């Protein structure tokens, strides 16, 4: 794929014109990555079948995306979230949204590394830290060489093997544990309650999952890389239809582990099962998990690097638009954004919660994107900017505090931009001046005087 990665456009877009099944596989591979797979099994070990709701939320998110935003993304002519928001709310929002996206994707990468490291360490009998480092270095090498096109094609293979691997893992788990009847006899009845996780958590997953899909950089890059909106919609349908069965299988795997090894840590529910599977099926599962992990890391690193180049490097340090410098910067940025999350990954435990923190942060941008397309006159650029700042501080702070009062941090990510845009709508000047022409507080007075 290196011939498609000789320019910055080729690195970030891959030459465009990908068919629906390839784009669908790219998106599926990231959203069923190691953090979600192992995290769902971990939740299944703890609470049962209701853990599958996190994949149901993602399935609904892709379905809504196909109806609500796919055509808008294609018509915008932009292939970055920050570019879409900047066209509606100005340059400060571009920079704020770009930083938020990079931070959110880095948090997701932490969960991906931790989950994949746990699996490879268990199977290869090496330290988790060495497994995580191996994953990071491998991903950085092939993404920096092949760019977007390498990500698309490798993720296609990853998705197929990962799905087959989970089917094999569930078949072994049910056989080894004695089947559904044995699970019902040995597990508390509440673990078969579809809403045991709680409606508060289910709605939080809906907010985080749908928000992340609406405002994920590599989702936009992938969909813009299709021929037309119809192809992009088909890709979304493919992903949506495969999400729910995957979630159910992962949750059941965790429940089987709870019967077979009730005393282990919940995070080891999936890795423990893999370590006991027959050699062939275990190898397929490990290849699938590792592949999905590489797919997730590669997508996040490429997306973060694309934003860093387009929003910071080119405007401030490459004003002459020297494409060779842009390509070099992309490769350096891929290395940095691919390896930095390794440090935090060594200490990560609650994988699903960490993964959904990264998704929740992007719900903020999803709200602003919907407003930009469907309510462009609501609020002000300043309201959008402070909405991003408020959401980042409040969401991360609330998560680190342990989600007090049982309120998930996703709700704060959703409320931040709604609150600030609502306030700015109430107090914005009513002089007919287009919002994006109102740049500073002192100009409000001059605009009102001019109107008089």
């Amino acid at each position: 794929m290196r011939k498609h990665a000789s320019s910055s456009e080729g690195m970030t877009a891959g030459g465009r014109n990908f068919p629906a099944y390839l784009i669908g596989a790219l998106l599926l591979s990231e959203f069923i990555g190691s953090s979600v797979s192992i995290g769902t099994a971990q939740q299944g070990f703890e609470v049962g079948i209701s853990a599958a709701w996190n994949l149901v939320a993602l399935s609904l998110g892709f379905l809504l995306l196909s109806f609500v935003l796919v055509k808008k993304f294609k018509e915008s002519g932009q292939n970055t979230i920050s570019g879409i928001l900047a066209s509606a709310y100005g340059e400060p929002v571009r920079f704020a949204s770009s930083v938020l996206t990079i931070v959110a994707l880095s948090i997701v990468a932490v969960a991906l590394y931790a989950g994949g490291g746990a699996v490879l360490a268990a199977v290869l009998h090496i330290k988790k830290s060495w497994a995580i480092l191996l994953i990071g270095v491998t991903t950085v090498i092939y993404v920096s060489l092949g760019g977007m096109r390498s990500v698309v094609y490798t993720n296609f293979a990853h998705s197929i093997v990962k799905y087959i691997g989970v089917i094999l893992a569930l078949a072994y788990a049910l056989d080894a544990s004695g089947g559904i009847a044995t699970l019902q006899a040995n597990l508390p009845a509440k673990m078969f309650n579809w809403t045991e996780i709680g409606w508060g958590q289910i709605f939080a997953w809906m907010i985080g999952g749908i928000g992340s899909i609406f405002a994920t950089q590599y989702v936009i890059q992938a969909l813009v890389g299709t021929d037309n909106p119809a192809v992009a919609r088909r890709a979304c349908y493919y992903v949506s239809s495969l999400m729910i069965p995957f979630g159910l299988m992962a949750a059941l795997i965790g429940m089987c582990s709870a019967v077979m090894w009730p005393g282990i840590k919940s995070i080891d529910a999936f890795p423990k099962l893999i370590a006991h599977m027959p050699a062939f099926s275990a190898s397929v599962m490990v290849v699938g998990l590792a592949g999905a992990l590489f797919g997730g890391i590669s997508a996040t690193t490429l997306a973060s690097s694309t934003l860093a180049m387009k929003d910071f490097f080119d405007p401030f340090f490459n004003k002459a638009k020297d494409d060779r410098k842009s390509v070099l910067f992309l490769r350096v940025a891929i290395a940095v954004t691919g390896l930095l999350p390794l440090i935090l990954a060594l200490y990560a435990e609650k994988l699903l919660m960490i993964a959904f923190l990264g998704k929740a942060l992007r719900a903020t941008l999803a709200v602003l994107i919907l407003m930009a397309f469907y309510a462009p006159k609501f609020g002000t650029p300043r309201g959008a900017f402070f909405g991003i700042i408020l959401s980042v501080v409040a969401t991360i702070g609330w998560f680190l505090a342990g989600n007090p009062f049982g309120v998930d941090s996703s709700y704060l990510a959703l409320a931040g931009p709604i609150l600030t845009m609502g306030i700015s709508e109430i107090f914005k000047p009513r002089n007919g001046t287009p919002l994006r022409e109102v740049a500073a507080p002192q100009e409000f007075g001059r605009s009102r005087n001019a109107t008089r």
Side-chain angles (χ1 to χ4, degrees):
M1 303 305 162
R2 289 189 66 184
K3 66 181 179 180
H4 294 283
S6 58
S7 66
S8 59
E9 177 67 15
M11 282 283 288
T12 59
R16 306 292 180 89
N17 301 326
F18 294 109
Y21 70 90
L22 284 180
I23 296 300
L26 166 65
L27 300 178
L28 180 68
S29 181
E30 195 284 326
F31 282 93
I32 61 168
S34 58
S35 60
V36 171
S37 305
I38 297 174
T40 303
Q42 180 184 12
Q43 287 283 75
F45 184 97
E46 295 174 355
V47 301
I49 197 67
S50 61
W53 272 101
N54 77 88
L55 273 299
V56 176
L58 294 173
S59 175
L60 180 60
F62 276 105
L63 196 61
L64 290 174
L65 177 68
S66 66
F67 293 115
V68 177
L69 285 178
V70 162
K71 187 176 180 181
K72 296 288 186 182
F73 285 155
K74 293 289 289 183
E75 291 174 348
S76 71
Q78 302 282 347
N79 71 344
T80 64
I81 296 170
S82 55
I84 292 171
L85 293 178
S87 64
Y89 301 119
E91 291 302 300
V93 174
R94 176 196 295 275
F95 302 134
S97 62
S98 187
V99 171
L100 185 154
T101 302
I102 292 172
V103 170
L105 292 177
S106 298
I107 291 172
V108 172
V110 170
L112 288 169
Y113 275 131
V119 171
L120 291 187
V123 175
L124 301 180
H125 302 291
I126 60 176
K127 291 183 178 180
K128 182 179 176 182
S129 56
W130 284 108
I132 291 174
L133 181 62
L134 176 66
I135 293 163
V137 171
T138 303
T139 305
V140 166
I141 289 173
Y142 83 75
V143 177
S144 62
L145 286 175
M148 182 67 171
R149 206 165 190 90
S150 71
V151 173
V152 170
Y153 280 97
T154 51
N155 277 22
F156 175 67
H158 295 162
S159 296
I160 294 175
V161 179
K162 174 70 175 292
Y163 221 91
I164 294 173
V166 168
I167 292 172
L168 293 174
L170 178 61
Y172 171 78
L174 289 173
D175 181 66
S177 65
I180 298 295
T182 303
L183 296 185
Q184 291 176 327
N186 289 275
L187 293 175
K190 64 182 182 180
M191 296 190 73
F192 293 89
N193 181 0
W194 289 97
T195 59
E196 176 63 24
I197 195 72
W199 284 109
Q201 182 62 69
I202 291 171
F203 283 125
W205 280 341
M206 291 289 180
I207 294 170
I210 295 172
S212 68
I213 291 169
F214 279 19
T216 294
Q217 173 56 36
Y218 49 82
V219 170
I220 294 176
Q221 281 179 256
L223 295 179
V224 171
T226 58
D227 285 334
N228 54 65
V231 175
R233 285 196 186 97
R234 283 204 304 274
C236 293
Y237 298 154
Y238 295 156
V239 182
S240 179
S241 63
L242 292 170
M243 282 289 182
I244 296 177
F246 190 91
L248 292 172
M249 289 189 290
L252 281 170
I253 286 171
M255 295 167 68
C256 292
S257 292
V259 169
M260 292 187 286
W261 305 288
I264 64 173
K265 291 183 178 180
S266 59
I267 193 175
D268 294 325
F270 211 151
K272 184 79 170 178
L273 179 77
I274 295 172
H276 284 78
M277 288 171 63
F280 176 77
S281 57
S283 66
V284 173
M285 185 66 254
V286 172
V287 170
L289 279 173
L293 168 67
F294 291 141
I297 295 294
S298 63
T300 58
T301 55
L302 184 61
S304 296
S305 302
T306 299
L307 288 172
M309 179 197 73
K310 292 199 171 188
D311 294 335
F312 297 101
F313 179 74
D314 281 352
F316 296 106
F317 304 102
N318 189 23
K319 295 181 179 179
K321 303 298 182 184
D322 186 336
D323 199 58
R324 289 175 299 176
K325 292 182 178 179
S326 295
V327 172
L328 178 61
F329 174 81
L330 274 172
R331 293 197 164 112
V332 172
I334 287 168
V336 173
T337 57
L339 297 178
L340 274 183
L342 290 175
I343 301 172
L344 290 176
L346 297 174
Y347 306 98
E349 288 290 337
K350 291 288 186 179
L351 299 188
L352 199 58
M353 296 298 103
I354 295 173
F356 266 85
L357 171 63
K359 290 177 171 64
L361 285 171
R362 284 172 279 172
T364 297
L365 300 182
V367 171
L368 294 176
I369 287 174
L370 288 171
M371 288 183 180
F373 284 137
Y374 291 99
K377 295 182 180 180
F378 182 82
T380 67
R382 187 171 285 104
F385 177 79
F386 283 110
I388 293 173
I389 302 301
L390 175 63
S391 291
V392 170
V393 174
T395 303
I396 295 179
W398 198 261
F399 176 83
L400 293 176
N403 291 336
F405 312 111
V407 178
D408 194 88
S409 57
S410 300
Y411 292 103
L412 277 73
L414 184 68
I418 294 176
L419 176 65
T420 58
M421 290 295 274
I423 293 173
S424 66
E425 172 67 20
I426 294 171
F427 293 102
K428 76 180 179 182
R430 307 292 177 178
N431 56 8
T433 304
L435 286 179
R436 66 187 68 182
E437 293 178 15
V438 180
Q442 61 266 28
E443 294 181 7
F444 292 171
R446 290 200 297 270
S447 296
R448 285 195 291 269
N449 291 334
T451 301
R452 293 193 191 100

